Amino acid sequence: MAPVNGNDPNGGRQRGVTIIDIARAAGISKTTVSRVLNGEAGVAPATRTHVTEVAARLGYRANTAARSLRTRSSALVGFLVPHLNEVFSQQAERLSLELRHHGVDLVISTSDWDPVAEVEIVERMASRGVDALVLSLTSDRNPDVARLLKTIDPALVLLDREVRGIAADTVLTDQSGGVEGAVAHLVELGHERIGLISMTDVNRPGREVPAAWRRAGERAGLDFGPELNVALPRFDAASGASATGRLLAADVTAVIACVPEAAIAGVLFDLRDRGVSIPGDLSLVGYHEPVLASAKEPRIAAITRDYGEMGVIAGRLAITRLANRDQRPRIETVGTGFVPASSTAPPRRS
Amino acid sequence: MAPVNGNDPNGGRQRGVTIIDIARAAGISKTTVSRVLNGEAGVAPATRTHVTEVAARLGYRANTAARSLRTRSSALVGFLVPHLNEVFSQQAERLSLELRHHGVDLVISTSDWDPVAEVEIVERMASRGVDALVLSLTSDRNPDVARLLKTIDPALVLLDREVRGIAADTVLTDQSGGVEGAVAHLVELGHERIGLISMTDVNRPGREVPAAWRRAGERAGLDFGPELNVALPRFDAASGASATGRLLAADVTAVIACVPEAAIAGVLFDLRDRGVSIPGDLSLVGYHEPVLASAKEPRIAAITRDYGEMGVIAGRLAITRLANRDQRPRIETVGTGFVPASSTAPPRRS
DNA sequence: TTGAAAGCGCTACCAG
DNA sequence: CTGGTAGCGCTTTCAA
């Protein structure tokens, strides 16, 4: 039998079983009940089993809000991503799972690649009282965000981002392995004019990828001019298509597209519309290919990394940070690799 | 200047500005501060502006836990999905956005298609105090879940699921439009043995899709035997591949695959390995195709619907439900359509 | 239009 | 090993 509660003063939600109800039913103090429920040591085994039993019988469920208020911790982590595409979804799923193992839930919000929305979202999450905030910022060069991050309470984990003045736990991607692999592969096939579609320099991959590409070119004795690098501010199909046009005009024989899948789709559509065949007329390297896409030809060679792992690492960083907020910031690096496929071939001799 | 707080009795988080700090700074009671912050009527304009000003100056951020405790509402909605694939991610993104417009945040958890995990997750979210729970259950026939849903407090929104004994707000999918469109299209091309890969009957699409397929067959004067329907319990590539084998053994000339993308990828891989060409040897209809996959041939004809819209509707149902928990359950239906593409053709005459 | 006081459910402290 | 008490920050009476 559920205990009879006083008549509800609140028009709203149901009252629910509290530790006081358990205490009464067990003829014991709520302090001890709390101790049992939290698995603290120093409770007589008999008491423990009894309380556990009563709690189960009454269908007790802890009130998280009350606990949060008292302990100043919400067991909630926020995850801010630009967009829930396959890459970020995968990160989210693994991050969520990792956190769940530690009794922590994940609040997700998308900015739709809008730096202004990002500020609002971070603000919201801070006010929500998340214990930690995992950030895949659209722009890590936005001074408003940088300023905001200094004033908020949650622990921070940056996902392949570097914010000036913020020394936070970070999961970095080392782009060099993948990019150099791709360039080396293309050079070996005989390509010299290797175009790059990248993100703009407002976030770390947008800075690191072009740098790695240029380095790799130099290593191969090639000087990649700026006309070979198109930096996209947006990642819809139209942007991808326009980048393709610019690179074809620059006489590239190969393109490395380190941008989200929606933009790469734009590249593919545009090439098809122009009658440019892959890899016959143009070699293409992408940046992760969804499984369903990879089931069709040409399979896109890709610079890739383990997104799920990034989520797991972010989760671990968050959890360990919460256990000890005073430790110094840690940086974990995830490598990238080049996965060859049927989308590359020797350049057409003209 | 931030007010000087007493020395922190808590080893943990920072103290933060409270309404008491504002009240003191403004020389006013915390009641009035609360009223202003919540935009309640009955406050002198002068007081209102002053309080607003002071709050901004001190950098006040409401403590959500305290508010939740008092109001018994968390401004949090839970979303349970089997897996964050493209379909569910899209729903999640739009749902999240819709909720955000109303000041509500979204907690996401994935069950990895595990009905047991689902029970735990629902339990967790209830204990977390979510105001509403949006559920894409792996199995809506799991009695444990049905029982649990009756005991918990949050408002429920079911996403294309029907749980016995639970009268909740629901977003239903009407599969008939899409399935009948697909069957009619294939029949018109001359197909008679049209196989179906579906989910099992543990959830609503797993029941509705086969029913619609059978009806559509009857309407065309065809009697689809049970050997033409493979119901998958899992949705990895291997499952998709094995389903393909069984249907080919049943001499189908066309396959409709109403299963998640990972399984459809398995179908494609398997067909390629067997040297079965699409649509030359076999016509294929899928169930939504990611943009990057659609950029390559063959483009998979699909039975599809607006996933984003489903998320938006779910969000609206949740929000309006919270505004009035006593209204009777509402059911919104989303239609499906058939989108032809290059993956279908007349059957090979043998 | 304003304020005092009560209390949401829980954990932390201290005394026994 | 156990219990009493204080209070987290907020909203909500109720009274002025």
Side-chain angles (χ1 to χ4, degrees):
Chain A
M1 289 297 103
V4 179
N5 291 314
N7 54 352
D8 192 344
N10 225 312
R13 305 279 293 275
Q14 216 155 348
R15 282 259 300 114
V17 181
T18 75
I19 57 172
I20 296 199
D21 298 321
I22 298 178
R24 264 202 285 268
I28 212 174
S29 84
K30 64 177 181 166
T31 305
T32 302
V33 174
S34 170
R35 278 202 266 265
V36 171
L37 264 24
N38 291 345
E40 282 172 36
V43 178
T47 318
R48 187 178 297 278
T49 44
H50 185 210
V51 168
T52 311
E53 222 172 81
V54 173
R57 180 157 55 76
L58 297 184
Y60 173 77
R61 261 190 289 270
N63 180 322
T64 310
R67 175 175 293 163
S68 291
L69 178 56
R70 185 65 243 233
T71 63
R72 298 174 183 291
S73 87
S74 57
L76 220 46
V77 166
F79 188 28
L80 167 62
V81 293
H83 175 56
L84 275 185
N85 60 19
E86 181 160 42
V87 167
F88 291 117
S89 298
Q90 219 163 302
Q91 292 184 352
E93 179 150 7
R94 298 297 301 278
L95 169 59
S96 151
L97 200 61
E98 183 67 21
L99 295 174
R100 196 157 88 216
H101 291 149
H102 297 269
V104 173
D105 288 319
L106 189 67
V107 182
I108 297 182
S109 214
T110 58
S111 68
D112 199 21
W113 302 102
D114 176 359
V116 176
E118 248 159 23
V119 174
E120 292 166 22
I121 290 168
V122 169
E123 184 85 48
R124 268 275 288 274
M125 296 228 175
S127 170
R128 159 72 62 196
V130 296
D131 292 340
L133 208 38
V134 180
L135 300 173
S136 270
L137 295 164
T138 295
S139 164
D140 57 8
R141 287 286 167 88
N142 178 356
D144 293 338
V145 167
R147 206 173 311 122
L148 177 56
L149 292 183
K150 278 172 204 153
T151 77
I152 63 176
D153 196 43
L156 299 178
V157 178
L158 300 178
L159 234 51
D160 211 9
R161 299 293 187 272
E162 284 174 321
V163 181
R164 286 188 192 139
I166 301 288
D169 293 324
T170 306
V171 186
L172 286 187
T173 297
D174 179 3
Q175 306 285 353
S176 53
V179 173
E180 283 167 16
V183 170
H185 171 79
L186 291 169
V187 167
E188 193 165 346
L189 287 172
H191 293 273
E192 297 187 346
R193 294 189 68 77
I194 301 171
L196 176 71
I197 305 178
S198 66
M199 299 196 262
T200 63
D201 63 5
V202 299
N203 63 35
R204 189 171 184 274
R207 298 186 291 269
E208 293 293 312
V209 167
W213 164 78
R214 213 167 295 116
R215 276 201 309 274
E218 281 164 17
R219 181 167 310 180
L222 299 170
D223 182 21
F224 293 151
E227 79 283 5
L228 293 181
N229 178 16
V230 178
L232 293 184
R234 302 179 45 74
F235 312 111
D236 49 20
S239 302
S242 88
T244 314
R246 287 176 52 188
L247 289 178
L248 289 176
D251 286 324
V252 299
T253 61
V255 169
I256 300 176
C258 293
V259 284
E261 59 209 52
I264 294 183
V267 172
L268 292 177
F269 285 128
D270 188 55
L271 291 175
R272 190 191 56 199
D273 292 348
R274 294 171 185 267
V276 176
S277 80
I278 300 173
D281 300 319
L282 185 79
S283 288
L284 181 68
V285 174
Y287 204 51
H288 165 79
E289 186 171 52
V291 60
L292 194 48
S294 74
K296 303 192 221 168
E297 293 297 327
R299 302 180 77 154
I300 309 296
I303 291 160
T304 191
R305 57 198 146 147
D306 189 335
Y307 298 101
E309 196 199 355
M310 293 183 70
V312 173
I313 295 174
R316 276 207 279 268
L317 287 175
I319 293 293
T320 53
R321 167 64 53 191
L322 294 178
N324 173 11
R325 294 212 37 165
D326 296 327
Q327 62 191 310
R328 60 165 183 51
R330 295 148 299 167
I331 296 181
E332 300 251 2
T333 302
V334 172
T336 52
F338 172 67
V339 181
S342 56
S343 67
T344 63
R348 170 152 298 174
R349 295 290 158 204
S350 49
Chain B
M1 291 295 105
V4 179
N5 292 313
N7 53 354
D8 192 343
N10 225 310
R13 307 277 293 274
Q14 213 156 352
R15 282 261 299 117
V17 181
T18 76
I19 57 171
I20 296 198
D21 297 322
I22 298 177
R24 265 201 284 269
I28 211 173
S29 84
K30 62 175 180 168
T31 307
T32 303
V33 173
S34 170
R35 280 204 264 265
V36 170
L37 263 25
N38 291 344
E40 282 172 35
V43 178
T47 316
R48 185 178 298 279
T49 45
H50 185 210
V51 168
T52 310
E53 222 172 80
V54 173
R57 180 158 52 78
L58 296 185
Y60 172 77
R61 261 191 290 268
N63 179 321
T64 309
R67 175 175 291 162
S68 291
L69 178 56
R70 186 63 241 234
T71 63
R72 302 173 179 292
S73 87
S74 57
L76 219 46
V77 166
F79 188 27
L80 167 63
V81 293
H83 175 56
L84 275 185
N85 60 20
E86 180 160 42
V87 167
F88 291 117
S89 298
Q90 219 162 301
Q91 292 182 353
E93 177 151 8
R94 299 297 301 278
L95 170 58
S96 151
L97 199 61
E98 182 68 21
L99 294 174
R100 196 158 89 217
H101 290 148
H102 297 269
V104 172
D105 287 320
L106 189 66
V107 181
I108 296 181
S109 212
T110 59
S111 67
D112 200 22
W113 302 102
D114 176 0
V116 176
E118 247 157 24
V119 173
E120 290 165 23
I121 290 168
V122 168
E123 185 84 47
R124 268 275 288 274
M125 295 229 176
S127 169
R128 159 71 63 197
V130 296
D131 292 340
L133 207 39
V134 179
L135 300 173
S136 270
L137 295 164
T138 295
S139 163
D140 56 9
R141 286 286 167 86
N142 178 354
D144 293 337
V145 166
R147 206 173 311 123
L148 176 57
L149 292 183
K150 279 172 202 153
T151 77
I152 63 175
D153 197 43
L156 299 177
V157 178
L158 301 178
L159 234 50
D160 211 8
R161 299 295 186 270
E162 283 174 320
V163 181
R164 284 184 194 143
I166 300 288
D169 294 323
T170 305
V171 186
L172 286 187
T173 296
D174 179 3
Q175 304 284 354
S176 53
V179 173
E180 284 168 16
V183 171
H185 171 79
L186 291 169
V187 167
E188 192 166 346
L189 287 173
H191 294 273
E192 296 188 347
R193 292 190 68 75
I194 300 171
L196 176 71
I197 305 177
S198 66
M199 298 195 263
T200 63
D201 62 6
V202 299
N203 64 34
R204 187 171 186 274
R207 299 185 291 268
E208 294 291 313
V209 166
W213 164 78
R214 215 167 294 115
R215 276 200 310 273
E218 282 164 14
R219 182 167 307 179
L222 299 171
D223 182 21
F224 293 151
E227 80 283 4
L228 293 182
N229 180 16
V230 177
L232 293 184
R234 300 181 47 75
F235 310 111
D236 50 20
S239 303
S242 88
T244 314
R246 288 175 53 190
L247 289 178
L248 289 177
D251 285 325
V252 300
T253 60
V255 168
I256 300 176
C258 293
V259 283
E261 59 210 54
I264 294 184
V267 172
L268 292 177
F269 286 128
D270 188 56
L271 291 175
R272 191 193 55 199
D273 292 349
R274 293 171 186 269
V276 176
S277 80
I278 301 174
D281 300 319
L282 185 79
S283 287
L284 181 67
V285 174
Y287 204 53
H288 166 80
E289 186 171 51
V291 59
L292 195 49
S294 75
K296 303 191 221 168
E297 293 297 327
R299 304 181 74 155
I300 309 295
I303 292 161
T304 192
R305 57 198 145 148
D306 189 333
Y307 299 101
E309 196 200 355
M310 293 184 70
V312 173
I313 295 175
R316 276 208 278 268
L317 286 175
I319 293 292
T320 53
R321 167 65 53 191
L322 295 178
N324 174 12
R325 296 213 36 167
D326 295 327
Q327 61 191 310
R328 60 166 182 52
R330 296 148 297 166
I331 296 182
E332 301 249 2
T333 302
V334 172
T336 52
F338 172 66
V339 182
S342 57
S343 66
T344 64
R348 170 153 298 172
R349 293 291 157 203
S350 49

